[in-house]
């Protein structure tokens, strides 16, 4: 479960509402001072990731959430419609930053996609897998089991955040998989994405795992500080695994 080394990639792992804007834009110094205050030395590692090739150095710290009882307070908004995606949506995936080949490949392997539309435009998407999956961003592996499902790559364009779209998309995915007897939902979030962490806890998720992933000179090490299922403490690899599906 490699949840995401680079903060901008986290937007795809989990939904983030639009933060309130300050009256004055923050300076470079202010942004990094706040980052150091909240995350300490991990903020420095995160900044290094932005400036170095991912194969040379990368760092990710993520939380795995789980719930058996989603608590979703749905906001009524007639401007938005939510549904499960089909292969006919492939050509519209550019709206939510996914290429059509990846979209179709995931559908063929059995993953489920849900989308929110506003008019003719896609404004939110997420994926759900019932299989054992590897996350190339976090380096972790999750098996949701016979009664579980893993939500991943939720993405909302910045202009649409803060409108309750995550609730809509989680609800339809949860209902779809609950009908198949899958009542346990997993979702991963980077520690830097504090808004998403708050949202998931509000939705009824609890912390069930934590991973730290470091890449240095092509060597990848994922440390499972804790995990929802028994697993080895460290996962070390040089190449991305090819014998398991990627999330």
């Amino acid at each position: 479960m490699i949840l995401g080394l680079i903060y901008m990639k986290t937007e795809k792992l989990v939904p983030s509402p639009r933060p309130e804007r300050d009256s004055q834009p923050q300076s470079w110094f202010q942004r990094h001072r706040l980052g150091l205050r909240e995350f300490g030395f991990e903020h420095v590692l995160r900044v290094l990731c932005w400036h170095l090739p991912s194969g040379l150095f990368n760092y990710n710290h993520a939380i795995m959430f789980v719930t058996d009882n989603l608590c979703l307070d749905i906001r009524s908004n007639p401007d938005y419609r939510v549904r499960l995606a089909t292969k006919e949506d492939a050509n519209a995936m550019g709206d939510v930053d996914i290429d059509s080949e990846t979209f179709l490949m995931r559908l063929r392997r059995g993953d489920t996609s849900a989308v929110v539309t506003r008019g003719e435009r896609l404004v939110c998407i997420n994926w759900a897998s019932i299989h054992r999956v590897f996350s190339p961003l976090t380096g972790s592996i999750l098996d949701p089991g016979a009664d579980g499902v893993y939500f991943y790559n939720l993405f909302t364009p910045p202009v649409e955040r803060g409108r309750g779209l995550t609730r809509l998309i989680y609800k339809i995915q949860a209902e779809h998989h609950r009908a198949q007897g899958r009542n346990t939902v997993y979702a991963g979030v980077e520690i830097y994405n504090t808004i998403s962490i708050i949202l998931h806890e509000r939705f009824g998720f609890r912390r069930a795992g934590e991973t730290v992933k470091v890449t240095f000179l092509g060597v990848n090490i994922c440390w499972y500080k804790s995990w929802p299922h028994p697993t080895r403490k460290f996962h070390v690899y040089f190449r991305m695994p090819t014998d398991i599906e990627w999330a």
Side-chain angles (χ1 to χ4, degrees):
M1 304 203 126
I2 301 169
L3 295 173
L5 296 183
I6 302 176
Y7 179 59
M8 65 180 187
K9 289 186 178 179
T10 20
E11 299 175 3
K12 298 184 180 181
L13 223 133
V14 282
S16 301
R18 184 173 48 211
E20 295 183 2
R21 296 182 180 179
D22 297 331
S23 56
Q24 295 293 330
Q26 289 183 336
S27 67
W28 179 94
F29 176 77
Q30 289 173 321
R31 290 197 305 271
H32 290 293
R33 183 178 64 179
L34 290 173
L36 287 169
R37 181 184 301 167
E38 187 166 2
F39 303 110
F41 186 64
E42 284 192 296
H43 176 73
V44 178
L45 298 177
R46 175 190 178 200
V47 173
L48 285 176
C49 292
W50 299 343
H51 299 284
L52 295 175
S54 59
L56 176 62
F57 176 78
N58 218 330
Y59 179 85
N60 174 256
H61 187 174
I63 297 170
M64 180 57 62
F65 284 99
V66 65
T67 184
D68 298 312
N69 184 26
L70 276 174
C71 303
L72 302 173
D73 180 18
I74 304 298
R75 306 175 189 175
S76 177
N77 191 328
D79 293 335
Y80 297 95
R81 297 183 60 189
V82 60
R83 59 177 172 81
L84 296 181
T86 68
K87 62 183 180 181
E88 282 71 30
D89 292 307
N91 291 333
M93 285 297 115
D95 292 346
V96 284
D97 203 24
I98 295 178
D99 66 86
S100 59
E101 291 185 6
T102 299
F103 172 77
L104 292 171
M105 177 273 293
R106 289 175 175 173
L107 288 183
R108 284 194 298 267
R109 77 185 187 187
D111 289 6
T112 304
S113 174
V115 295
V116 178
T117 60
R118 185 177 190 181
E120 299 297 320
R121 191 171 179 83
L122 299 184
V123 295
C124 186
I125 187 172
N126 98 313
W127 290 89
S129 176
I130 62 174
H131 308 291
R132 183 171 176 263
V133 291
F134 166 78
S135 170
L137 292 178
T138 58
S140 56
I141 297 173
L142 175 74
D143 186 349
D147 61 349
V149 57
Y150 174 49
F151 288 3
Y152 71 96
N153 279 182
L154 190 145
F155 175 70
T156 307
V159 70
E160 296 289 351
R161 293 175 190 167
R163 305 179 192 273
L165 304 188
T166 298
R167 292 174 171 85
L168 294 175
I169 220 162
Y170 271 26
K171 182 176 185 290
I172 193 171
Q173 283 278 31
E175 290 175 346
H176 173 76
H177 289 90
R178 192 179 300 123
Q180 303 172 15
R182 296 181 177 274
N183 299 308
T184 302
V185 179
Y186 298 89
V189 184
E190 280 189 292
I191 64 162
Y192 313 114
N193 199 341
T194 52
I195 293 176
S196 185
I197 289 174
I198 293 170
L199 269 183
H200 279 75
E201 291 175 340
R202 188 177 298 164
F203 292 166
F205 284 88
R206 65 183 184 278
R207 301 185 185 211
E210 185 177 359
T211 56
V212 175
K213 182 223 174 188
V214 177
T215 299
F216 184 66
L217 296 178
V219 180
N220 304 278
I221 303 173
C222 178
W223 172 31
Y224 294 86
K225 296 183 69 173
S226 59
W227 208 237
H229 312 297
T231 187
R232 55 186 172 180
K233 206 68 176 173
F234 293 95
H235 177 203
V236 182
Y237 57 98
F238 297 91
R239 297 179 180 178
M240 297 294 183
T242 57
D243 59 344
I244 185 173
E245 294 180 359
W246 290 17

